[in-house]
Amino acid sequence: MKGNKIHASCKKGYFDRLEKKVPVGAWRNIDHFLVTNNGGSYKTTNHQYKIVFIHTTDITPSTLQEENMFLSLVDFESIQSGKLDTTNLIG
């Protein structure tokens, strides 16, 4: 199975309702959201689109469970050297 990282954003007003539904490392189904262009000065991923949670967004546990984390960690030396793409945010 392959996967890609994608940025997701949420208005402050929806955050309290949704944050407890997405624990780190858990697989979830996400229903009712928008997909928009991922532009701007700071992008958290290379993906051309981002997910936007809206007032009707619902997040539920997924029956799919995959052990691969799909993380692409950056080594510290690459960050310090300044060789990374500055249009992507590393947090």
Side-chain angles (χ1 to χ4, degrees):
M1 174 176 280
K2 288 187 171 188
N4 291 307
K5 292 189 294 183
I6 187 168
H7 176 85
S9 65
C10 178
K11 286 187 176 182
K12 190 174 183 177
Y14 311 143
F15 192 79
D16 288 339
R17 178 175 61 87
L18 297 174
E19 74 171 320
K20 52 188 150 249
K21 294 184 175 188
V22 287
V24 174
W27 282 79
R28 295 291 186 248
N29 295 320
I30 304 172
D31 296 306
H32 308 287
F33 57 89
L34 301 175
V35 177
T36 63
N37 285 323
N38 187 14
S41 300
Y42 298 101
K43 293 174 31 175
T44 56
T45 69
N46 287 326
H47 204 289
Q48 79 180 77
Y49 299 107
K50 68 179 177 180
I51 294 173
V52 179
F53 296 151
I54 57 177
H55 71 284
T56 56
T57 297
D58 189 31
I59 302 172
T60 57
S62 174
T63 56
L64 173 67
Q65 300 294 314
E66 176 63 42
E67 295 302 318
N68 295 326
M69 287 299 292
F70 302 115
L71 283 177
S72 355
L73 300 176
V74 177
D75 62 276
F76 191 67
E77 291 77 25
S78 295
I79 295 170
Q80 282 188 315
S81 72
K83 294 180 182 177
L84 295 176
D85 183 352
T86 58
T87 61
N88 291 309
L89 177 66
I90 299 173

